[in-house]
Amino acid sequence: MVAVADVLIAGAGPTGLTLAVDLARRGVACRIVDKEPVFATGSRGRGMQPRTLEVFDDLGLLDAVFAHGSAYPPMRAYQGSEVVWEGVMSEPTDPTPDVPYPNGWMIPQWRTAALLRERLAGFGGQVELGTELVALEQDEDGVIATLSRDGRAERARLAYVVGADGGKGAARRLLGVPFEGVTQEDFRVLVADVRVTGLDREHWHLWREPMIGLCPLGGTDSFQLTIADPERELATLADLAGYVAERTGRTDFRLDGLTWLTEWRPNTRMATRFQVGRVLLAGDAAHVHPPTGGQGLNTGVQDAYNLGWKLAAVMGGAPGSLLATYEQERLPVAAHVLGLSTRLFEQRTMTRGREERQLGLSYRGGPLAVDDRPAPGVLRAGDRAPDGPWEGKTLFDVFRGPHWTLLEFAGPAGAYDVRPGTWVLVRPDGYLGVVTENPATVDACLGHLGCARDDVVTARV
């Protein structure tokens, strides 16, 4: 029996890696394994929503994300060579004091994963490739995970296991948790990463009937090619190039340098539970989305960000009931986002609105949201904590790190919409835990979670 960590994470995609980084910065010993022998390639989930940018700001990754990606380019639709429409996926929004990163950002998923691995390495962690979770046993005190590598089995005793191993991963299956939903077998989309010569990189190029898209991937020399419901099998670069030329009627640009090719079918499924004892599910292991709206990767990152501080707190002595709030908070959010992704797919629209940014998602009314004011304002417990100026810095500068933050409002509250004399307790994941005019309420909530006031960063606003 091997015991080298407190937490095992199965799956080294963005969800698992985000959780590993968050746990590592909190001093929790964890292992992260992935059954694949090499790191995944491919642009896959290339859209990073504003709320995810805020998470990566907190994790110390935002500068790298901005350095290796780009804003979404304007779209240009053609009939053959003729431009028939131009527009944008969403209208750019200027930053404000409370929302410093209001616009989505494009970065290939393989690059996001690489940046997370680099950040994890800075804490001394690394991914164990070619290592598959094959069995789980658990009792009240821990989990025995059986891992397979190079044909050899290893049994490891852990305090907790997190399955972030995707929709087809082993963790959910080993738990026997149903994965309810539908897969549309009568529709498919091919997605590939290719290089293109003869086509500008300042636009996202689109043709309809059938839908073909070529979107330049910022920070790379590649384009993401999408082909909706092709009439024949396309398995090689020659297949793709021939089909694109045939359907667009264009011979003035050329595809080469195919590095990745996959096929997806609209798949909308969600696990009926996100926790069974000491095993938890996150990301695609808990919910899979159509890629419309760019919600899948982002929702997985939010799962990890919600779970990380709770796991660390329980490992540090907080009551185990805190961990139950992970499912209580994230399952309704995942259901809501699945509905959004499905609607966008059914509408077949390329434009996006404010809802996809994930800034308005809230845990209001949840088990960790306490707001005892007689007349609550627009912002309430459970909502995202806005940014704002503070003593030559910003509130995000104060929040950055693994701690709780207590804001004592003595003057104008800006986006917080509270009266002077209000106390706002900001959770480690940047949501409002407590909004109150009675500081004893803050102490009671912290005490319930095994956290002392001395462990909280306090800022007078």
Side-chain angles (χ1 to χ4, degrees):
M1 187 74 66
V2 178
V4 295
D6 296 319
V7 177
L8 172 72
I9 302 168
T15 298
L17 286 164
T18 298
L19 179 59
V21 169
D22 200 18
L23 291 175
R25 70 172 180 160
R26 297 174 188 279
V28 175
C30 68
R31 293 177 68 181
I32 179 168
V33 303
D34 197 284
K35 70 176 183 179
E36 299 301 328
V38 297
F39 293 121
T41 60
S43 52
R44 298 182 185 273
R46 69 178 190 272
M48 195 169 288
Q49 300 294 350
R51 181 57 186 158
T52 303
L53 295 175
E54 294 180 354
V55 173
F56 282 11
D57 180 354
D58 182 41
L59 297 179
L61 281 161
L62 191 61
D63 288 346
V65 166
F66 282 154
H68 291 284
S70 70
Y72 274 84
M75 295 182 289
R76 177 174 283 178
Y78 303 86
Q79 185 71 42
S81 298
E82 180 185 357
V83 177
V84 295
W85 176 82
E86 290 186 312
V88 294
M89 188 171 66
S90 59
E91 290 293 339
T93 302
D94 291 334
T96 59
D98 58 317
V99 181
Y101 320 118
N103 301 303
W105 190 251
M106 185 169 56
I107 181 170
Q109 183 168 319
W110 66 263
R111 179 77 79 183
T112 298
L115 295 177
L116 283 162
R117 290 196 301 270
E118 291 174 11
R119 185 65 173 144
L120 181 62
F123 292 106
Q126 63 179 2
V127 176
E128 301 175 43
L129 289 171
T131 305
E132 184 175 6
L133 175 66
V134 296
L136 288 169
E137 309 165 49
Q138 60 175 312
D139 53 37
E140 292 183 359
D141 300 318
V143 186
I144 297 174
T146 302
L147 303 172
S148 176
R149 181 173 184 174
D150 297 329
R152 296 190 299 272
E154 170 199 340
R155 283 165 58 85
R157 176 81 175 181
L158 295 308
Y160 295 95
V161 171
V162 179
D165 49 355
K168 298 180 180 178
R172 188 188 59 256
R173 174 177 51 79
L174 293 172
L175 293 174
V177 173
F179 205 35
E180 297 181 348
V182 296
T183 300
Q184 293 183 231
E185 298 292 349
D186 59 345
F187 185 88
R188 66 191 179 109
V189 176
L190 292 185
V191 187
D193 290 348
V194 296
R195 287 193 295 271
V196 182
T197 55
L199 202 61
D200 75 76
R201 296 184 61 86
E202 283 70 52
H203 295 89
W204 182 351
H205 305 274
L206 300 164
W207 292 263
R208 292 185 179 274
E209 298 178 5
M211 174 66 80
I212 294 174
L214 281 164
C215 183
L217 294 168
T220 77
D221 62 354
S222 298
F223 285 68
Q224 186 185 77
L225 166 67
T226 54
I227 302 176
D229 217 15
E231 300 92 342
R232 60 178 185 262
E233 292 300 314
L234 305 173
T236 67
L237 175 62
D239 292 341
L240 295 171
Y243 187 88
V244 169
E246 173 188 325
R247 292 298 188 268
T248 65
R250 297 279 293 269
T251 59
D252 56 326
F253 64 85
R254 179 169 59 88
L255 307 188
D256 60 27
L258 174 66
T259 58
W260 173 71
L261 173 64
T262 192
E263 175 184 293
W264 65 264
R265 297 177 187 274
N267 198 12
T268 306
R269 295 185 179 274
M270 190 168 75
T272 57
R273 301 177 64 183
F274 288 8
Q275 180 180 7
V276 178
R278 288 175 169 264
V279 183
L280 303 106
L281 302 173
D284 285 358
H287 42 79
V288 293
H289 308 240
T292 43
Q295 301 296 297
L297 178 151
N298 294 274
T299 304
V301 167
Q302 302 303 325
D303 288 345
Y305 198 49
N306 182 287
L307 180 57
W309 71 270
K310 295 175 180 178
L311 265 176
V314 171
M315 296 295 300
S321 58
L322 175 61
L323 215 47
T325 69
Y326 167 67
E327 177 180 302
Q328 293 166 354
E329 290 186 333
R330 293 303 300 168
L331 194 150
V333 167
H336 170 79
V337 175
L338 279 174
L340 172 63
S341 298
T342 301
R343 289 196 305 275
L344 290 171
F345 173 76
E346 292 172 347
Q347 294 166 2
R348 300 293 200 276
T349 177
M350 297 296 293
T351 57
R352 301 289 180 260
R354 296 175 59 87
E355 191 175 8
E356 292 85 18
R357 301 188 303 168
Q358 298 199 346
L359 295 172
L361 296 176
S362 176
Y363 304 130
R364 281 189 188 188
L368 298 180
V370 177
D371 194 331
D372 60 2
R373 293 172 295 166
V378 174
L379 196 69
R380 304 184 185 184
D383 293 350
R384 161 192 168 271
D387 197 7
W390 182 78
E391 294 190 355
K393 300 186 294 184
T394 71
L395 291 177
F396 276 12
D397 292 329
V398 182
F399 299 160
R400 193 175 296 115
H403 54 267
W404 293 76
T405 305
L406 181 60
L407 303 178
E408 178 188 359
F409 284 89
Y416 280 75
D417 186 32
V418 296
R419 301 190 309 186
T422 301
W423 299 79
V424 175
L425 183 64
V426 181
R427 297 168 18 164
D429 59 353
Y431 285 86
L432 307 184
V434 178
V435 185
T436 183
E437 295 172 7
N438 182 2
T441 301
V442 174
D443 293 328
C445 290
L446 289 172
H448 177 68
L449 297 173
C451 183
R453 178 76 78 90
D454 291 344
D455 299 324
V456 177
V457 173
T458 301
R460 186 176 175 87
V461 183

